[in-house]
Every structure is written in structure tokens, then in C-alpha cells.
Amino acid sequence: MSSEKMQTTLKTIREFVHADLLPLEGGFLGRPFRELLPALKQKRDKVKALGLWAPQLPKEIGGMGLSLSEFAPVSEELGRTPVGHYVFNCQAPDAGNLEILMEYASEPQKENWLRPLARGDIRSCFAMTEPEFPGSNPVWMKTTAVKQGGEYVINGHKWFASAADGSAFAIVMAITNPDAAKPHQRASQIIVPTDTPGFRLVRNIPVMGHEGEDYLSHAEIVFENCRVPQTNLLGEEGKGFAIAQQRLGPGRIHHCMRWIGICERAFEMMCKHAARRQLAPGQPLAGRQTVQEWIAESRAEINAARLMVMQAAEKIAREGSRAARQEISLIKFFVAGVLQEVLDRAIQVHGALGLTDDLLLSHWYRQERAARIYDGPDEVHKALVARLVLKEYGVEIAT
Ligand SMILES: Cc1cc2nc3c(=O)[nH]c(=O)nc-3n(C[C@H](O)[C@H](O)[C@H](O)COP(=O)(O)OP(=O)(O)OC[C@H]3O[C@@H](n4cnc5c(N)ncnc54)[C@H](O)[C@@H]3O)c2cc1C
């Protein structure tokens, strides 16, 4: 897309978010999320009619066909509201699952799962992490998929499968090749429809006092002799982690730009409140040096974060996710840290009001604390960056 056309598209999206989505936020705060779904459905239809549906997907499957670098600023605009990505059908984990399906699904799998997901007719989840094993070392897992009479029989225990509640299918990581020489060659990705007997959603896990529902949930799931056809395998057997790795680069760009959108919104709220709130007649909160420092530091950190994400997106586009490993890990921990700092400062400036469910700040503070944990905790990414840097100095650090 030409840069002029991209600017026009961004302006249209910004105006849509402002006029159509921000007014819905009142219904989002402190009310069951399901009550908001009919209104969101209407907005989804409007997005389709405007030709803005699924900006990250190729045109052949109904998307806008934006490149990663073009999608990044769109993700930021949508991130300004908690319903933005969902209304445009680019929310996690569907966006990541769509990428896997585009790359690895067979024609029948595309017909059954990719196309309905791209249309927004169904939702999906991704089940890899297990409560009994460290998600930061995902190759160590227990869930198995054993071949039997043309089927895989899956047994295991997963948790934190985001958006499983109401999903039509899960992409499940399970061990199919226990004897493979290398641990990362033991698991495969298998499509499991959630209505398959033996797929049991135990509960939506309460997170920070909120249980969550629908696509804003994280489920614990048990697989008990859950049988699916062997044709539900994605790609080749034993390639589960290779497939997952490929999905992580673009996925982290999506997350980071969404977080920058949240930062910009929190920053605006902080500045507006500091300007408006009077500590005494004629003494706005904004007159205090501490608040000025928070504003200046936040501005610098958000700008830096955006530039780093764009640099990573460009490197992925140019050289692929593997070559951009260092840039991807840098943004994952750096932007998650900026997000937490900016939200914390914005809450502090609002005082007690910042803690209430009257504002989005408390929602984001709860919901987005996880940013420093999912898709790899900070420490894992910092260790990878240090390992890659130190390699240039002749130091080999074992993983
Ligand atoms: C909101 C949310 C959504 C999620 N969604 C999904 C999903 O959809 N599907 C899915 O499969 N999983 C999902 N997860 C799980 C997520 O991927 C894992 O939580 C993550 O990989 C960390 O694994 P863990 O929680 O088992 O922590 P552990 O691996 O047990 O690690 C605990 C802590 O140890 C420290 N640590 C770990 N490794 C190192 C290291 N190398 N060096 C130093 N310190 C280290 C870190 O501080 C880490 O937080 C989600 C998690 C959250 C919180």
C-alpha cells in the first residue's frame, strides 16, 4: 500500500475507534462481557463494510493484506481500546492461529477452520502450557497424542488456553514422537474441535480477581482419551515447536504495538487529569515536578518503544523471524516494562480514581500484568539477548 493510502487508512481507523468503539467502553467496565457482544457484532459488520476487516490477513482470505510494518501502526490504533482488535478480527490468539493455518493447514483444514476463522464466524485457542511443567521451557510437557486406528488419542492437562471459552477448536501441542533425539522434535500441533468427547473445559481461571469470559478468558482444559482423526495434524509430526517458533515473531509485534496503543491512551489520561485536577485553588497537579518527570519519562519511553518495534518488524520482513531473534526479544521485555510503568504512573496521577473500575486504567493494570509473563517471561528474553550479544565476545552460554 502506498504511504499516502496507508495514512488515509490509519485516519479512517482512528476515527472509527474514536466514534464507534470508545463509546462502548462504558458497557465493558464492570459488566459481564457477553452483554456487550451483540453491539460488538454490529461493529464487526460495519468494519467489514468499510473494507477494514482483518488488516493483517491476505486479501485472498478476506483481509486487507497489510505487511507487518503496515499493520503495526494499525495495531497501535486498535490497542487504544480493549475491544479494538476483536472488532477488526486481529485479536490473539486467533491472529496467531490464522498464521499457522495459512502456512500449514491442508485444503480440508483450510475449508473447515481457516476460512470460518478468517470470516470471524468462529473463534479458536492455543493449548500448550501445562500447570505441572514450566511454560518457559515448553518442550518439557506431558500431554501425549498416540496413534490408534486412524486417530490420535490425546491425554493431558493444559491451562491458560486464552479464549478457549466459546472457541470452536483448539490447536493443541502434544507429544507424538517421544523417542525423537532432540526434545523440540517430540511434539506436534493438532487441531481439536472443542466439542470432541474427552475435551473438558474445567474452568475459566480467575486472574487478578476476575474470572473472564468468552474471548477474555483463560481456561484450564483436561484431555481424557480425546480422539481426533490423524488428518487433524498440522504440518509434519514432530514439527510442533518449529511451527510455534515461526508464529512468535509477528505475534510479538502485534502484542507490542497493542501495548503501545494502551500506553498512548493511559498517557493521554494522565496528562488530562494532571492538567485538570487542582491540588489547591490555582495549583494544578501538572505543576508538580514529579508529575512533569513522569510525563517526560513516559513520552520518551513510548517513543523509544515504538521505534524499536518498527525496527524489529522491518528486520522480520527483510530477513525472517530467526534472524530477528534479538530484536524480537528486546521489544518483548522492553515494551512490556514500558507498559507497566506508564500504567502505574497514570494510576498514581489519578489517585483513588485510578484504582476504580470506572476507568480503563485498573482493567489494563490487571489484565496486562501478564505481558511480562506470556509469550516468554522477561527473564527468558533477557537471557537470550545476553547470550546473543556475548557470543560476539567469544562467550558461549548454554541454554
Ligand atoms: C494471561 C496469560 C495468557 C496466556 N495464554 C496462553 C495461551 O493461550 N496458550 C498457552 O499455551 N499458554 C498461555 N499462557 C501461558 C504462558 O505462555 C506461560 O505462563 C509462560 O510461558 C510462563 O510459563 P509458566 O507460567 O509455567 O512459568 P514458569 O516457566 O514456571 O516460570 C516462572 C518464573 O520463573 C522465571 N524464569 C523462567 N525461566 C527463567 C530463566 N530462564 N531465567 C530466569 N528466570 C526464569 C520467570 O520469572 C517466570 O515468570 C498464558 C499466560 C498468561 C499469564
Side-chain angles (χ1 to χ4, degrees):
M1 194 181 275
S2 72
S3 71
E4 205 177 312
K5 189 146 184 249
M6 194 58 225
Q7 286 313 313
T8 313
T9 303
L10 272 175
K11 185 167 172 281
T12 311
I13 292 174
R14 193 173 302 133
E15 285 167 2
F16 180 86
V17 166
H18 198 79
D20 282 71
L21 301 187
L22 301 196
L24 294 178
E25 288 173 349
F28 179 82
L29 292 165
R31 295 244 300 275
F33 179 67
R34 282 207 169 87
E35 288 179 11
L36 195 59
L37 284 173
L40 294 182
K41 164 90 178 67
Q42 277 183 5
K43 299 299 175 191
R44 291 183 126 205
D45 292 342
K46 192 165 172 187
V47 166
K48 279 184 184 167
L50 287 168
L52 299 170
W53 182 251
Q56 82 289 7
L57 289 182
K59 289 184 178 164
E60 306 86 80
I61 53 167
M64 285 179 73
L66 298 187
S67 69
L68 193 55
S69 300
E70 288 170 336
F71 176 65
V74 171
S75 184
E76 176 180 338
E77 291 300 335
L78 300 180
R80 293 172 63 85
T81 170
V83 295
H85 284 73
Y86 174 72
V87 169
F88 282 67
N89 203 30
C90 49
Q91 71 284 358
D94 290 324
N97 288 347
L98 280 160
E99 274 175 38
I100 293 177
L101 292 168
M102 280 190 291
E103 189 73 23
Y104 296 98
S106 62
E107 250 329 295
Q109 287 172 346
K110 284 185 179 164
E111 202 47 46
N112 286 338
W113 310 111
L114 170 67
R115 292 195 179 93
L117 197 56
R119 287 195 298 270
D121 294 346
I122 57 172
R123 288 193 298 96
S124 66
C125 64
F126 186 77
M128 177 166 77
T129 310
E130 304 186 359
E132 297 85 1
F133 292 87
S136 52
N137 178 21
V139 295
W140 192 21
M141 62 162 68
K142 203 171 164 195
T143 299
T144 53
V146 177
K147 279 179 177 166
Q148 225 176 61
E151 294 177 320
Y152 282 112
V153 184
I154 304 174
N155 280 287
H157 187 192
K158 301 285 186 185
W159 82 338
F160 273 92
S162 298
D165 180 13
S167 282
F169 70 96
I171 295 182
V172 180
M173 188 79 92
I175 294 172
T176 46
N177 304 61
D179 301 325
K182 296 185 176 157
H184 67 270
Q185 294 169 341
R186 291 179 193 153
S188 303
Q189 296 198 14
I190 300 172
I191 298 173
V192 180
T194 54
D195 59 0
T196 309
F199 178 104
R200 185 159 62 86
L201 195 155
V202 179
R203 60 175 176 147
N204 285 334
I205 304 162
V207 175
M208 300 264 190
H210 288 246
E211 195 165 291
E213 53 181 327
D214 208 81
Y215 92 92
L216 291 179
S217 61
H218 309 288
E220 179 178 351
I221 300 167
V222 167
F223 296 87
E224 291 158 324
N225 293 321
C226 181
R227 289 172 173 271
V228 293
Q230 279 176 31
T231 48
N232 281 22
L233 176 72
L234 276 163
E236 289 172 44
E237 262 197 358
K239 291 281 166 66
F241 286 107
I243 296 174
Q245 210 53 39
Q246 208 167 329
R247 155 192 186 204
L248 289 177
R252 285 176 184 147
I253 301 285
H254 294 191
H255 274 311
C256 287
M257 289 308 289
R258 183 173 62 78
W259 298 338
I260 291 172
I262 297 173
C263 285
E264 286 290 1
R265 185 89 186 274
F267 181 77
E268 266 173 35
M269 290 168 80
M270 171 165 72
C271 295
K272 277 186 187 156
H273 191 77
R276 207 167 39 217
R277 186 70 159 174
Q278 302 281 315
L279 295 176
Q283 289 184 32
L285 185 51
R288 302 291 149 149
Q289 197 171 3
T290 308
V291 174
Q292 294 165 8
E293 268 186 37
W294 288 339
I295 289 171
E297 284 168 2
S298 301
R299 188 65 276 154
E301 288 163 8
I302 299 168
N303 286 5
R306 182 183 295 107
L307 288 172
M308 283 171 72
V309 178
M310 292 310 292
Q311 189 193 24
E314 281 158 20
K315 186 153 182 184
I316 293 173
R318 227 177 26 245
E319 300 173 41
S321 287
R322 188 158 174 83
R325 277 190 308 161
Q326 184 170 323
E327 286 75 8
I328 293 168
S329 278
L330 279 171
I331 60 169
K332 175 61 183 54
F333 76 79
F334 183 77
V335 186
V338 170
L339 170 66
Q340 212 185 333
E341 274 294 328
V342 171
L343 279 173
D344 191 64
R345 290 174 191 140
I347 287 177
Q348 194 69 14
V349 163
H350 282 80
L353 174 63
L355 299 175
T356 64
D357 286 345
D358 293 353
L359 300 185
L360 278 167
L361 294 173
S362 63
H363 163 79
W364 277 321
Y365 194 71
R366 280 193 308 271
Q367 188 86 6
E368 305 297 345
R369 175 60 181 83
R372 292 184 49 213
I373 295 175
Y374 61 69
D375 274 12
D378 284 0
E379 295 74 18
V380 171
H381 289 289
K382 288 180 183 174
L384 177 74
V385 169
R387 188 154 58 83
L388 293 174
V389 170
L390 287 170
K391 204 171 171 187
E392 293 169 23
Y393 291 82
V395 182
E396 288 287 343
I397 296 176
T399 48

